[in-house]
Amino acid sequence: MTVTKAEIAYSLMDEMGLTRLTSLELVNSLFDTIREMLASGEDVKLSGFGNFTLRDKVAREGRNPKTGEPFEIAARRVVLFKASRKVKERDSNPVAG
């Protein structure tokens, strides 16, 4: 199941009694803050949820799957997410709804 930012905002509306606009602003602000922190090179740790970290990948040789031609995959920085133990435990023990 995929959860969208809009669905998170609607959940805030229902659970916190916020307006639609306020809840959307809150969700967008949270993701903007996470994005800014990662862009500045900082890791993001959300207690009870997980960690977002940056990893530099070196350039490597790849191959075009259609033509088989080799090409270089450029070096890049990627974001990794590691779920917290609480999230992992909840995922392995789903509650029947």
Side-chain angles (χ1 to χ4, degrees):
M1 181 174 138
T2 301
V3 178
T4 65
K5 290 194 300 184
E7 289 171 334
I8 295 170
Y10 284 119
S11 180
L12 284 172
M13 285 173 48
D14 292 342
E15 292 185 31
M16 305 292 292
L18 301 174
T19 66
R20 182 176 139 327
L21 183 59
T22 301
S23 61
L24 283 171
E25 288 174 351
L26 183 62
V27 170
N28 285 327
S29 177
L30 171 69
F31 284 104
D32 288 344
T33 302
I34 291 171
R35 212 176 349 262
E36 289 168 10
M37 292 179 76
L38 290 169
S40 69
E42 295 181 59
D43 291 343
V44 177
K45 298 177 186 231
L46 300 174
S47 180
F49 183 69
N51 299 326
F52 295 91
T53 57
L54 292 172
R55 178 175 169 222
D56 291 318
K57 288 192 160 191
V58 297
R60 61 187 172 91
E61 189 173 306
R63 196 167 291 282
N64 182 324
K66 282 188 176 183
T67 65
E69 284 184 49
F71 71 97
E72 183 175 301
I73 299 172
R76 63 199 186 280
R77 180 172 276 181
V78 296
V79 176
L80 300 176
F81 175 74
K82 183 175 180 185
S84 73
R85 190 175 330 158
K86 288 180 182 179
V87 171
K88 288 179 183 177
E89 288 172 358
R90 185 172 183 166
D91 189 39
S92 64
N93 298 317
V95 177

